């Protein structure tokens, strides 16, 4: 992380992070996510007085990563059991442990889930901080979501862990104080 400032009214912060995950395949287990933020205090820069207590414009872009849940890459063994109409019987039964293949098929090609967000905003305070406005506009996109999706039971499995879809969240936030 590095922060640069100019004349106490313009600031730039840069950040970078790289994670390695043991729950992702080796060829996709490293993921990098940087971010950048800039803020400009126009009240300080232009030496505004009168009703202004403070005023700042800001913008940011950042990426975050998320790895897979444990045991998502390979198909694993699960504790065995028998489902009966009046309840489940779980092993060990009579002191004998039993396991069965999980009904979720692993995926050796999983990639990390990544989210990228952009936000632009302003914060203005008036009359010795007696009245204030904080407004932000944001857009967040997430790709490569990791989720067990239904899989044809004719394969012997009920689910397969996959990367899929894209989600976008957009909005405006307004705070009046």
């Amino acid at each position: 992380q590095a922060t640069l400032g100019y004349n106490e009214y313009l600031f730039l912060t840069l950040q970078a992070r790289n994670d390695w995950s043991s729950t992702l395949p080796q060829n996709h287990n490293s993921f990098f996510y940087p971010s950048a933020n800039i803020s400009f205090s126009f009240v300080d820069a232009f030496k505004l007085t009168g009703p202004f207590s403070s005023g700042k414009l800001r913008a940011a872009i950042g990426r975050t990563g998320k790895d897979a849940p444990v045991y998502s890459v390979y198909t694993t063994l699960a504790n065995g059991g028998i489902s009966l109409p009046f309840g489940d019987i779980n092993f060990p039964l009579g002191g004998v442990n039993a396991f069965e293949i999980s009904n979720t098929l692993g995926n050796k090609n999983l990639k990390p889930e990544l989210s990228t967000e952009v936000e632009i905003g302003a914060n203005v305070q008036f009359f010795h901080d007696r009245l204030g406005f904080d407004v932000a506009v944001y857009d967040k996109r997430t790709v490569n979501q990791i989720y067990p999706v239904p899989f044809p039971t004719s394969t012997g499995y009920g689910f397969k862990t996959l990367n899929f879809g894209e989600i976008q969240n957009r909005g405006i936030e307004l705070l009046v104080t």
Side-chain angles (χ1 to χ4, degrees), residues 6-21:
Y6 178 76
N7 282 345
E8 299 295 320
Y9 62 79
L10 182 63
F11 297 93
L12 173 67
T13 301
L14 302 171
Q15 295 178 312
R17 178 175 171 163
N18 195 86
D19 281 351
W20 290 268
S21 172

Side-chain angles (χ1 to χ4, degrees), residues 5 47-48 68 71 102 122 133 147 162:
K47 301 189 183 343
L48 299 178
Y71 308 125
S102 169
F133 298 96
Y147 198 76
L162 294 175

Side-chain angles (χ1 to χ4, degrees), residues 31-68:
F31 47 103
F32 178 70
Y33 40 105
S35 68
N37 306 295
I38 190 165
S39 64
F40 174 66
S41 175
F42 60 87
V43 169
D44 294 332
F46 302 123
K47 301 189 183 343
L48 299 178
T49 58
F52 289 102
S53 302
S54 65
K56 177 172 56 172
L57 302 174
R58 64 185 186 277
I61 184 169
R63 176 181 264 183
T64 57
K66 180 181 175 187
D67 59 2

Side-chain angles (χ1 to χ4, degrees), residues 31-168:
F31 47 103
F32 178 70
Y33 40 105
S35 68
N37 306 295
I38 190 165
S39 64
F40 174 66
S41 175
F42 60 87
V43 169
D44 294 332
F46 302 123
K47 301 189 183 343
L48 299 178
T49 58
F52 289 102
S53 302
S54 65
K56 177 172 56 172
L57 302 174
R58 64 185 186 277
I61 184 169
R63 176 181 264 183
T64 57
K66 180 181 175 187
D67 59 2
V70 68
Y71 308 125
S72 296
V73 174
Y74 299 105
T75 304
T76 61
L77 295 175
N79 283 327
I82 301 171
S83 293
L84 299 172
F86 52 84
D88 294 340
I89 298 175
N90 292 313
F91 290 104
L93 184 61
V96 178
N97 287 325
F99 293 91
E100 62 187 4
I101 293 176
S102 169
N103 74 338
T104 302
L105 182 61
N107 185 346
K108 296 178 188 172
N109 296 312
L110 283 179
K111 297 176 186 171
E113 185 175 305
L114 296 172
S115 297
T116 303
E117 185 168 1
V118 176
E119 181 176 313
I120 299 171
N123 179 283
V124 183
Q125 300 287 322
F126 300 96
F127 310 114
H128 302 287
D129 295 332
R130 291 190 175 108
L131 176 64
F133 298 96
D134 191 343
V135 64
V137 177
Y138 65 91
D139 185 355
K140 180 179 180 180
R141 292 175 192 253
T142 302
V143 296
N144 289 334
Q145 295 172 283
I146 301 169
Y147 198 76
V149 297
F151 204 61
T153 55
S154 60
T155 63
Y157 299 96
F159 300 90
K160 182 173 182 178
T161 305
L162 294 175
N163 290 110
F164 73 97
E166 178 177 323
I167 290 181
Q168 180 178 21

